[in-house]
Amino acid sequence: MGRRLSVTRGWTLAALAVVVLTAAGCQGSETAAGGTGRSTRTPAAPTPDLPTPLNYARLKQTVPDLQSMPVGWKVGRTELRGRDYPKSAPCRANVCAGLTSHAELQYDNADSTGNVYIDLYAYDDTQSARSGYEKHRKSYASQQDRAISMPTVGNVSMARTGFNKYSDQPFVSIVMRVGTVVATMAYTHEQKADPQDMLALARLQAERIQQAQRGGRVTASLAGHKI
C-alpha cells in the first residue's frame, strides 16, 4: 500500500475540459503548504461528502478499466489487486482502523514513457476516512518533495511534486478523500510529469468513486483522449 506511481503526459486543455464534465467538485485547492487555488470551472459546486462504505467488489469497479483510460494506455507491472478487511483483521485495531477494503493498480502510458499508480482505501464511514486521509497525507509529505497548487479533487486533496526515489524520474502525486474513500495517485514520466495530466486522472478516479457511492453504474471515462 501507499506506493507511488508513474505516468505519461500530453493531455491537451481541450481533453481536460471533457474530464471536468464528469469530475468531482473543484471549489478550491488545499495543499500541504496550506495554499488555496481556484478552479476554472464555473459554477464550482462542492463535492458531496457521501457516507456510503464500499467493499472490495464495489471498490475495484471504481478503478478505471482499459476502456475508460486514455488512448493506448495499458496495465503496468501491478495488475488490479486488493481485498476486504473484516472487522476481525488484526490491523483494524491500529494501523488500518476503519478500513473496509483496498485496491491498487498501475497503468503505463501509450509509449511506455510514464505510468500512474493508483491506491484506493475504503473506510467504514467518513470520519474514519478523514483520519485515513490525514495519515496518507502525512506519509506522502516527503521533505524532498514540494507542495503545488492544484484545484481540489474530491472533498479534500493535497498535491506534491518531486523525483521518484527508485527511478529518479519526475512525478506528481495527489492524495484525496472522496466521501468514505481515500485515494493516493502518483504520476511519473521520463521527462516531465505534467500536473494537468495528474489532475485529469485524479478527477476521473474521483468521479468513478462517487458513482459507486451513489449506487449507480460506474461509467466515468477518458476514452478517446490522449495523455
Side-chain angles (χ1 to χ4, degrees):
M1 296 186 192
R3 292 177 55 189
R4 287 174 175 161
L5 48 142
S6 51
V7 155
T8 169
R9 54 182 304 231
W11 256 87
T12 65
L13 292 179
L16 180 60
V18 175
V19 182
V20 175
L21 185 64
T22 58
C26 305
Q27 189 170 9
S29 152
E30 178 172 317
T31 69
T36 58
R38 286 291 173 185
S39 167
T40 56
R41 294 181 66 191
T42 53
T47 298
D49 203 345
L50 301 175
T52 311
L54 302 179
N55 60 17
Y56 177 65
R58 192 61 167 153
L59 183 65
K60 69 179 181 180
Q61 294 177 5
T62 74
V63 180
D65 54 20
L66 281 176
Q67 288 69 41
S68 63
M69 288 296 285
V71 175
W73 283 57
K74 59 267 187 184
V75 176
R77 295 179 62 181
T78 301
E79 297 183 357
L80 177 62
R81 63 189 182 190
R83 66 186 181 98
D84 286 313
Y85 284 78
K87 292 187 176 181
S88 59
C91 73
R92 294 265 294 205
N94 42 65
V95 295
C96 67
L99 189 69
T100 60
S101 59
H102 167 254
E104 61 183 320
L105 174 68
Q106 178 178 313
Y107 275 114
D108 293 342
N109 66 353
D111 57 6
S112 298
T113 56
N115 62 75
V116 62
Y117 201 95
I118 304 170
D119 258 322
L120 303 179
Y121 304 86
Y123 292 85
D124 289 323
D125 48 44
T126 53
Q127 185 57 47
S128 295
R130 290 187 186 102
S131 297
Y133 170 79
E134 288 302 316
K135 291 178 182 177
H136 289 290
R137 180 183 67 81
K138 292 175 181 177
S139 71
Y140 262 61
S142 169
Q143 293 182 352
Q144 286 72 44
D145 307 337
R146 64 180 177 87
I148 58 174
S149 179
M150 182 180 287
T152 300
V153 185
N155 301 110
V156 61
S157 61
M158 177 198 75
R160 299 182 69 83
T161 188
F163 292 88
N164 187 293
K165 65 180 180 180
Y166 300 108
S167 66
D168 202 33
Q169 295 175 349
F171 76 86
V172 177
S173 69
I174 187 168
V175 180
M176 61 183 176
R177 182 181 67 83
V178 186
T180 57
V181 176
V182 174
T184 65
M185 303 176 66
Y187 164 86
T188 305
H189 194 273
E190 289 180 358
Q191 299 175 357
K192 179 183 177 181
D194 191 334
Q196 293 300 313
D197 294 348
M198 179 76 272
L199 179 59
L201 292 164
R203 285 173 166 171
L204 169 65
Q205 181 61 72
E207 177 61 15
R208 291 178 67 89
I209 291 170
Q210 282 200 309
Q211 288 175 335
Q213 290 171 334
R214 292 190 185 104
R217 293 180 58 221
V218 180
T219 59
S221 175
L222 290 177
H225 301 286
K226 294 182 178 180
I227 292 185

